[in-house]
Amino acid sequence: MTNTVDTPTDASRSTPPSGLIAVARAPGWVRYALLAVGLAVAAWLPNGLYPAVAVDILCWALFAVAVDLLLGFTGLMSFGHAAFWGTSAYVTGLVAIHAGLPFPLAVLAGALAAAVLAVPIGYLAVKRTGIYFAMVTLAFAQMVYYVANEWRSVTQGENGLQGVPRELFGVDLTDDYFFYYAILPIVLLGLAGAWRIVHSPFGRVLVGIRDNPARARALGYPVHRYKLTAFVLSGFIAGLGGGLFAVGHRFVSLDVLHWTTSGKAVIVVVLGGIGTLWGGVLGAALVVRLEDWLSFSGFEAIGLVTGGIFVLVVVLFRHGIWGSVAALAHRLAARRR
């Protein structure tokens, strides 16, 4: 595999407008109204959906935001993020089962393990760009999958970890409805952390590296170091989602490390809108709800439907659902001015 050289972005190549930009330029009351609506929907969700489905939406929302932090704001397409999602799930399950710690601490341990794993993988991967970066991350993810499958004394192999507890200082969280509200603050903190990252000077440098890495390097920014930091932060946020997913299902299987899990996360981000951050949350809600509805209806070719919708969105909404709506709102506001 050969290394590639970053070249300046072609001026004629347009980048998708970020939904964050459109929201940031909106009046203050609009931003607060959107925030209030989002929090209200999050609080209502387990009342309108099956609570277990609502829990899955929260977990996949974190996973999608983690992937978008890397893909949308750093320009790195990862097909191996299941390594961090799955590693955190296994570590969370092992800590919860053998140490008996409250599940937030077990999830934090899993997220930290994912971040630690992201350091060597990211160090080697960020030296590549484009399809080479994607293939390196996929290769490492498959290595992690192989280790988990063969290390049966720890991971139980194909049988998986069963009976992951939801311990929280004696509080009964066996009901998914109450568990949803127990994990909601953790998910909101993860989303707030991602929002703060992309709105910080560090996040603006990441966007600059995405758009023109050669110029960023000429300005004195250590491009590889910034990419590595973004990779580790993305792995940590993905780990939060993976740990919550393990506790939510009370079971960890090899599926959490499979390459299709990484592919599903990328599809969710593209559907919602690359570089919009909140598009990942919307995409996760749509995909998880659709899969649940199709499975209960007895339809077996779920991938055929989700794949078809993915193609339609890519063809009709080039910037994803959230990105297209945000861009339309921005154009309408510009016409009024």
Side-chain angles (χ1 to χ4, degrees):
M1 183 178 296
T2 59
N3 198 356
T4 59
V5 179
D6 292 327
T7 57
T9 302
D10 187 352
S12 63
R13 187 178 66 186
S14 60
T15 57
S18 171
L20 291 173
I21 296 176
V23 173
R25 291 176 178 174
W29 68 270
V30 173
R31 297 196 297 271
Y32 287 117
L34 289 174
L35 177 61
V37 170
L39 292 175
V41 170
W44 165 84
L45 200 58
N47 297 284
L49 298 176
Y50 188 56
V53 177
V55 170
D56 278 357
I57 289 174
L58 290 187
C59 298
W60 277 96
L62 273 179
F63 195 14
V65 167
V67 173
D68 195 28
L69 177 63
L70 201 62
L71 173 60
F73 295 91
T74 317
L76 299 174
M77 168 71 82
S78 172
F79 279 126
H81 254 50
F84 313 122
W85 166 271
T87 295
S88 176
Y90 272 104
V91 172
T92 297
L94 291 170
V95 170
I97 292 172
H98 298 293
L101 294 178
F103 84 84
L105 295 181
V107 170
L108 179 60
L112 290 175
V116 170
L117 178 64
V119 173
I121 294 178
Y123 179 78
L124 296 174
V126 298
K127 296 180 180 180
R128 305 291 189 266
T129 57
I131 190 62
Y132 300 106
F133 174 86
M135 291 298 100
V136 168
T137 56
L138 176 60
F140 276 112
Q142 290 301 100
M143 289 172 59
V144 175
Y145 178 89
Y146 176 80
V147 171
N149 186 34
E150 295 299 321
W151 202 1
R152 292 181 172 85
S153 61
V154 175
T155 65
Q156 306 304 317
E158 295 179 353
N159 295 323
L161 299 178
Q162 303 179 20
V164 178
R166 296 178 178 178
E167 175 61 33
L168 185 61
F169 306 111
V171 179
D172 184 13
L173 295 175
T174 55
D175 192 329
D176 289 327
Y177 182 85
F178 298 109
F179 180 70
Y180 174 90
Y181 289 105
I183 70 171
L184 182 59
I186 300 175
V187 174
L188 293 178
L189 284 175
L191 296 178
W195 182 88
R196 187 68 189 91
I197 289 171
V198 300
H199 280 82
S200 67
F202 171 79
R204 291 179 174 84
V205 173
L206 291 182
V207 173
I209 292 174
R210 178 200 68 186
D211 293 339
N212 197 324
R215 180 178 297 174
R217 188 178 292 108
L219 291 173
Y221 292 107
V223 171
H224 288 161
R225 192 181 306 169
Y226 271 87
K227 287 183 177 180
L228 176 60
T229 303
F231 193 89
V232 173
L233 290 173
S234 177
F236 178 83
I237 296 175
L240 281 180
L244 293 175
F245 187 82
V247 180
H249 284 252
R250 310 190 72 172
F251 174 74
V252 184
S253 69
L254 287 172
D255 287 342
V256 296
L257 288 168
H258 201 263
W259 66 268
T260 55
T261 301
S262 299
K264 179 179 175 180
V266 173
I267 290 176
V268 167
V269 172
V270 174
L271 286 176
I274 298 175
T276 61
L277 203 63
W278 308 126
V281 178
L282 178 60
L286 293 176
V287 170
V288 172
R289 182 66 184 95
L290 178 62
E291 289 182 343
D292 175 70
W293 180 75
L294 290 174
S295 63
F296 271 95
S297 66
F299 188 79
E300 297 183 357
I302 297 177
L304 179 63
V305 176
T306 55
I309 294 176
F310 173 75
V311 172
L312 288 176
V313 170
V314 170
V315 172
L316 300 178
F317 305 98
R318 293 190 305 115
H319 307 315
I321 298 174
W322 179 279
S324 298
V325 172
L328 177 61
H330 180 65
R331 287 198 297 270
L332 291 176
R335 289 179 182 178
R336 291 179 181 177
R337 290 197 296 265

